[in-house]
Amino acid sequence: MKMLVKQIYENAKELDKSKIKIKGWVVTSRGNKKIQFIELNDGSSVLHLQLVLKSEKMDLNDIHFKTGSSIKAEGILNYTPKAEQSVELIVDKISLLAQSDEDFPIQTKKTTLEFLRTIPHLRHRSNTIKAVMLVRSSISFFIHEYFQKNDFSLVAAPIITSNDGEGAGETFIVDSEDKEPFFGNNVKATLGVTGQLHAEAYALGLQKVYTFAPTFRAENSNTKKHAAEFWMVEPEVAFFTLKELIQMSEEMLKYVIKKVLEKRRDELVFLDTHIKPGLIQSLEDFLESNLEIIEYRKVIEILEKNKVFFEEQNIEFGMDLKTEHERFIAEKYAKGPVGVINYPKKLKAFYMYQNDDNETVAAFDLLVPGIGELVGGSQRENRYEKLEQRIQELNIDQKDIQWYLDLRKYGYSGSAGFGLGLERLVMYITGIDNIRDSIPFPRTPNNLKM
Amino acid sequence: MKMLVKQIYENAKELDKSKIKIKGWVVTSRGNKKIQFIELNDGSSVLHLQLVLKSEKMDLNDIHFKTGSSIKAEGILNYTPKAEQSVELIVDKISLLAQSDEDFPIQTKKTTLEFLRTIPHLRHRSNTIKAVMLVRSSISFFIHEYFQKNDFSLVAAPIITSNDGEGAGETFIVDSEDKEPFFGNNVKATLGVTGQLHAEAYALGLQKVYTFAPTFRAENSNTKKHAAEFWMVEPEVAFFTLKELIQMSEEMLKYVIKKVLEKRRDELVFLDTHIKPGLIQSLEDFLESNLEIIEYRKVIEILEKNKVFFEEQNIEFGMDLKTEHERFIAEKYAKGPVGVINYPKKLKAFYMYQNDDNETVAAFDLLVPGIGELVGGSQRENRYEKLEQRIQELNIDQKDIQWYLDLRKYGYSGSAGFGLGLERLVMYITGIDNIRDSIPFPRTPNNLKM
């Protein structure tokens, strides 16, 4: 029967002595005139299947498969739990489907991630990028599964928008090549930096919603954490308070991590071995932990006491936490993911709920080791006057977001939501430390391949 | 316990006489000083829950909830299978969370879909758009579920691309507002019209992949079927032939429709009643049918015999089928979804596998009643020379897609895939006949709201 490598490993014992047909690509090939061993990968797993070719079954002089070539084979599966390879296929028939050129760039000799970034159309054929992309796919799906199981509706927030979102600036402009502006003369069309405001509109009516879509920032920064195009997951729930939001984010992350640990164990073992030792243990520790919540005010106290560790030592209430501070809080203080709440309002966007202290807003950032901020969210300001006042204080053009203010007129008694950067979650779960390796075709300043 | 309306209807019998807490929005409210009835919708279903307020439990003079207001209530559930309303909540406590203004535009009086398009931030609070958007969410999820269950990996094809895809032109240009081009001087950054070429790169290595992402066309056309921004699902499978691709598309569509019929029955019943009578029957008929496959050549013969029915009566081999022709084949000839294969190569994109007749390509369009083309796919040309020759014949700039040609050098023995427009599938399954009502914030020429 036709099988995938992942299925074979998962059912090796039951499949022992079965006749198996398989297609895939040659990773390595070695041997002599009597016996040859071919490692085949078929893309379903980071694991390869060992094919064993014996001279009594075929003329091994005819077998010359270069690395990267596609082949098909059939044979009898041999389950050998005590051997180094727990399973192998004793081949009866094998044939070449398409030979690969000699210059196939993914050879078994060590290639660097930097080099692989120059060939985004081929790099997923390396073990590391393959493992990351398989994990990424599973993360994406389990996010959907979590929300759908919990009665959230997926909402397609628009990509092209007349709304500049958080007023964060740094947007991409969009237009057709025609003389006339495609969307008309009185509107500025940009690529959305967030789907949140649109999600809020839908939460008012559908109650529990989430978006899962690409978002964009034209930020001219070349860091390991920033890309111009990245995917965001933005749940929004009517009637939710900040506390309920934090609970939900913890539950969601734990659901996804637990599922990925089950489904993509082999890939995580590979990444633990080759990319980040201790990866699996740290994920399992998170599953066992209770998310600690700290007030921003308390964070400042902690940082102040430890300021010798930082480049930025000017620690005071009102400061924007840098990645070094966020990582310190997660890695040294909490020793795991940690939630920070109630930030000074001047640091945060206009739509956040203003606390009674008149100084802070009901914001929430989830900080994780190795990354810093993974999730940022808040309870939203439901009071029309407070929201309008904040918009005016910040000199945001009210006309553009009057529709958003208007939501407060029609039965809006509050909502809360967060944004989760998918690539950051991929980095956290795979241990990969550069965002360029967490997304198939990364877009950064002066870099647009394919 | 806290419940959603959907959960209450699904478990009404078991919940009979239970104490229930609920939050939601007032749809209607009527009654007198003795008894009042409030229809509450909480966004989990197109169905409302009837709240019954009695004067012996509370002072009904205090109850003035305008349509659209958010409220919370608790009471005892009353399961009444023989009554018009199979379930109602006998309220013990009720309170207003946020009053709605008088001018809330979604009142029970009939509003038109045209009017609703002017208020995309509120229109999902109407029954029709709510039903469509709930179905859309479920369709999206079951597409993911089908592919993931079948060992496909989700691949994030890029949105911003230097690749103009099918050479179809009509792309949107993207840049930052800085003086220097964000992606550099030697590259044209556009919004992707397809993720297919990138998916093919990933199929070479991961074998079974799919994309699910927004795509864009700057086409200046105002029809019921076209939007400038729409979501595409594009599976691509290495080693697949056209025949296997067609089987997979049928299986996938049937999986999704079957699941949606179960999960979103109430919404489909609503749409069947109010939007498109016979909707559910036609979906169930499709599930029971075997997809018929017709050669393009045969389609021309059929159309020729029936040309009196068409505006375009110039029927000949080589013609591009118009929607009227596609719909005739689906609605009158096949009386259901139908696959058309082996189109003349001049009608199709450069990457399709060239059949031995030297005249047609291994293309496949799935035509459905009411819509026309729902799915378009093909087996891809795996022969480097044939592909290069076709690129040159069509005057496509080879430099831009050399990377795509290069895939053929490294063990590419063929793949096949299709593109499914999500909004068209939403239209097919919901019976909604304008694409503007199938996506939350539609983008069309001169129309960019929010």
Side-chain angles (χ1 to χ4, degrees), chain A residues 252-268:
Chain A
M252 189 271 277
L253 285 172
K254 287 182 173 175
Y255 179 88
V256 171
I257 290 171
K258 184 164 177 290
K259 288 284 192 172
V260 171
L261 278 165
E262 289 163 18
K263 171 97 190 251
R264 288 294 168 195
R265 193 86 196 174
D266 296 326
E267 286 70 30
L268 292 176

Side-chain angles (χ1 to χ4, degrees), chain A residues 142-153 206-210 235-237 240 248 251-253 255-256, chain B residues 4 6-7 44 141 263-264:
Chain A
F142 291 128
I143 289 171
H144 281 294
E145 192 176 74
Y146 171 82
F147 285 119
Q148 297 274 340
K149 276 190 176 175
N150 287 283
D151 300 294
F152 283 71
S153 292
L206 296 193
Q207 191 174 170
K208 302 175 85 174
V209 302
Y210 71 111
E236 186 77 26
V237 187
F240 254 32
M248 191 261 282
E251 188 184 284
M252 189 271 277
L253 285 172
Y255 179 88
V256 171
Chain B
L4 295 172
K6 182 171 172 58
Q7 295 164 335
S44 64
F141 178 66
K263 172 96 190 251
R264 288 293 168 197

Side-chain angles (χ1 to χ4, degrees), chain A residues 219-222 226-228 436 443-448, chain B residues 182-184:
Chain A
E219 211 174 328
N220 200 349
S221 63
N222 269 295
H226 291 91
R436 292 168 183 77
R443 273 71 179 99
T444 50
N446 293 305
N447 175 38
L448 181 66
Chain B
F182 187 87
F183 293 108

Side-chain angles (χ1 to χ4, degrees), chain B residues 95-303:
Chain B
S95 58
L96 181 69
L97 296 173
Q99 191 71 276
S100 180
D101 280 12
E102 286 289 353
D103 65 348
F104 180 54
I106 319 281
Q107 299 288 338
T108 43
K109 69 176 162 51
K110 196 90 175 168
T111 45
T112 66
L113 292 171
E114 287 75 14
F115 166 70
L116 290 172
R117 277 175 220 141
T118 66
I119 46 168
H121 59 315
L122 297 171
R123 66 174 176 162
H124 52 281
R125 300 177 71 179
S126 69
N127 291 331
T128 301
I129 300 296
K130 182 178 290 149
V132 171
M133 294 307 165
L134 291 174
V135 172
R136 179 187 166 107
S137 169
S138 294
I139 290 172
S140 301
F141 178 66
F142 291 128
I143 289 171
H144 281 294
E145 191 175 74
Y146 171 82
F147 285 119
Q148 297 273 341
K149 276 190 177 176
N150 286 282
D151 301 294
F152 283 71
S153 292
L154 176 63
V155 171
I159 308 304
I160 303 176
T161 176
S162 59
N163 202 70
D164 86 346
E166 302 184 340
E170 313 267 303
T171 52
F172 285 105
I173 309 292
V174 179
D175 208 344
S176 68
E177 296 186 273
D178 298 342
K179 256 180 291 175
E180 296 297 313
F182 187 87
F183 293 108
N185 283 303
N186 301 314
V187 69
K188 182 172 153 189
T190 64
L191 294 182
V193 299
T194 171
Q196 178 206 315
L197 305 193
H198 302 88
E200 277 187 59
Y202 263 68
L204 178 62
L206 296 193
Q207 191 174 169
K208 302 176 84 174
V209 301
Y210 71 111
T211 72
F212 193 136
T215 52
F216 304 84
R217 272 176 210 250
E219 211 174 329
N220 200 349
S221 63
N222 270 295
T223 79
K224 289 182 167 189
K225 276 172 59 181
H226 291 91
E229 174 177 318
F230 51 100
W231 286 69
M232 287 278 279
V233 178
E234 298 181 285
E236 185 77 27
V237 187
F239 312 122
F240 254 32
T241 60
L242 187 66
K243 194 177 166 192
E244 290 168 302
L245 181 73
I246 294 170
Q247 281 170 354
M248 191 261 283
S249 72
E250 182 180 3
E251 188 183 285
M252 189 270 278
L253 285 172
K254 287 182 173 174
Y255 180 88
V256 171
I257 290 170
K258 184 165 178 290
K259 287 284 191 171
V260 171
L261 278 166
E262 289 162 18
K263 172 96 190 251
R264 288 293 168 197
R265 193 85 196 173
D266 296 325
E267 286 70 30
L268 292 176
V269 167
F270 176 88
L271 293 162
D272 190 304
T273 308
H274 296 279
I275 297 294
K276 190 174 181 186
L279 176 67
I280 290 178
Q281 188 61 52
S282 73
L283 295 173
E284 287 173 344
D285 287 348
F286 175 45
L287 293 186
E288 295 303 314
S289 70
N290 286 314
L291 185 65
E292 188 173 355
I293 303 296
I294 320 179
E295 295 264 340
Y296 168 89
R297 202 177 292 276
K298 178 82 191 299
V299 167
I300 294 299
E301 286 171 22
I302 297 164
L303 295 177

Side-chain angles (χ1 to χ4, degrees), chain A residues 215-226:
Chain A
T215 52
F216 304 84
R217 271 176 212 250
E219 211 174 328
N220 200 349
S221 63
N222 269 295
T223 79
K224 289 182 167 190
K225 276 172 59 182
H226 291 91

Side-chain angles (χ1 to χ4, degrees), chain A residues 151-339:
Chain A
D151 300 294
F152 283 71
S153 292
L154 176 63
V155 171
I159 308 303
I160 304 175
T161 176
S162 60
N163 202 69
D164 85 346
E166 302 185 340
E170 313 267 304
T171 52
F172 285 105
I173 308 292
V174 179
D175 208 344
S176 68
E177 296 186 273
D178 297 342
K179 256 180 292 175
E180 295 297 313
F182 187 87
F183 293 108
N185 283 304
N186 301 314
V187 69
K188 182 172 152 188
T190 64
L191 295 182
V193 299
T194 172
Q196 178 206 314
L197 306 193
H198 302 88
E200 277 187 59
Y202 263 68
L204 179 63
L206 296 193
Q207 191 174 170
K208 302 175 85 174
V209 302
Y210 71 111
T211 72
F212 193 136
T215 52
F216 304 84
R217 271 176 212 250
E219 211 174 328
N220 200 349
S221 63
N222 269 295
T223 79
K224 289 182 167 190
K225 276 172 59 182
H226 291 91
E229 174 177 318
F230 51 99
W231 286 69
M232 287 278 279
V233 178
E234 298 180 284
E236 186 77 26
V237 187
F239 312 122
F240 254 32
T241 60
L242 187 66
K243 194 176 166 193
E244 290 168 302
L245 180 73
I246 294 171
Q247 281 170 354
M248 191 261 282
S249 72
E250 182 180 2
E251 188 184 284
M252 189 271 277
L253 285 172
K254 287 182 173 175
Y255 179 88
V256 171
I257 290 171
K258 184 164 177 290
K259 288 284 192 172
V260 171
L261 278 165
E262 289 163 18
K263 171 97 190 251
R264 288 294 168 195
R265 193 86 196 174
D266 296 326
E267 286 70 30
L268 292 176
V269 167
F270 176 88
L271 293 162
D272 191 303
T273 308
H274 296 279
I275 298 294
K276 190 175 182 185
L279 176 67
I280 291 178
Q281 188 61 53
S282 73
L283 295 173
E284 287 174 344
D285 287 348
F286 175 45
L287 293 186
E288 294 304 314
S289 70
N290 286 314
L291 185 65
E292 189 173 355
I293 304 295
I294 320 179
E295 295 263 340
Y296 168 89
R297 201 178 292 276
K298 178 82 191 299
V299 166
I300 294 299
E301 286 170 23
I302 297 164
L303 295 176
E304 170 66 31
K305 283 183 197 143
N306 293 280
K307 67 181 174 187
V308 294
F309 296 114
F310 306 122
E311 262 181 53
E312 175 55 84
Q313 301 193 353
N314 198 2
I315 309 290
E316 57 184 7
F317 184 91
M319 72 178 290
D320 207 358
L321 303 183
K322 300 260 188 308
T323 299
E324 60 173 342
H325 305 127
E326 293 175 339
R327 289 186 56 177
F328 179 87
I329 293 296
E331 291 163 22
K332 305 297 178 192
Y333 177 78
K335 298 190 169 57
V338 55

Side-chain angles (χ1 to χ4, degrees), chain B residues 8-172:
Chain B
I8 291 173
Y9 276 97
E10 283 172 356
N11 305 287
K13 199 172 168 186
E14 296 74 29
L15 289 171
D16 190 28
K17 309 299 174 234
S18 299
K19 190 166 180 176
I20 300 285
K21 289 184 182 185
I22 196 154
K23 291 178 181 173
W25 293 272
V26 174
V27 179
T28 61
S29 146
R30 65 191 168 81
N32 52 41
K33 285 179 183 174
K34 289 280 208 181
I35 189 162
Q36 283 197 22
F37 301 95
I38 294 175
E39 297 281 327
L40 171 141
N41 188 285
D42 73 351
S44 64
S45 168
V46 75
L47 298 179
H48 313 314
L49 179 66
Q50 177 159 282
L51 310 183
V52 183
L53 283 58
K54 294 178 179 171
S55 60
E56 59 260 37
K57 297 214 173 168
M58 61 195 78
D59 186 351
L60 294 185
N61 291 308
D62 295 345
I63 308 290
H64 301 289
F65 303 146
K66 299 199 183 82
T67 294
S69 301
S70 57
I71 57 173
K72 65 175 178 180
E74 58 180 273
I76 303 297
L77 203 74
N78 194 16
Y79 176 56
T80 53
K82 289 183 181 157
E84 198 189 332
Q85 298 264 358
S86 69
V87 67
E88 59 186 14
L89 190 73
I90 310 301
V91 173
D92 292 316
K93 279 192 218 167
I94 191 164
S95 58
L96 181 69
L97 296 173
Q99 191 71 276
S100 180
D101 280 12
E102 286 289 353
D103 65 348
F104 180 54
I106 319 281
Q107 299 288 338
T108 43
K109 69 176 162 51
K110 196 90 175 168
T111 45
T112 66
L113 292 171
E114 287 75 14
F115 166 70
L116 290 172
R117 277 175 220 141
T118 66
I119 46 168
H121 59 315
L122 297 171
R123 66 174 176 162
H124 52 281
R125 300 177 71 179
S126 69
N127 291 331
T128 301
I129 300 296
K130 182 178 290 149
V132 171
M133 294 307 165
L134 291 174
V135 172
R136 179 187 166 107
S137 169
S138 294
I139 290 172
S140 301
F141 178 66
F142 291 128
I143 289 171
H144 281 294
E145 191 175 74
Y146 171 82
F147 285 119
Q148 297 273 341
K149 276 190 177 176
N150 286 282
D151 301 294
F152 283 71
S153 292
L154 176 63
V155 171
I159 308 304
I160 303 176
T161 176
S162 59
N163 202 70
D164 86 346
E166 302 184 340
E170 313 267 303
T171 52
F172 285 105

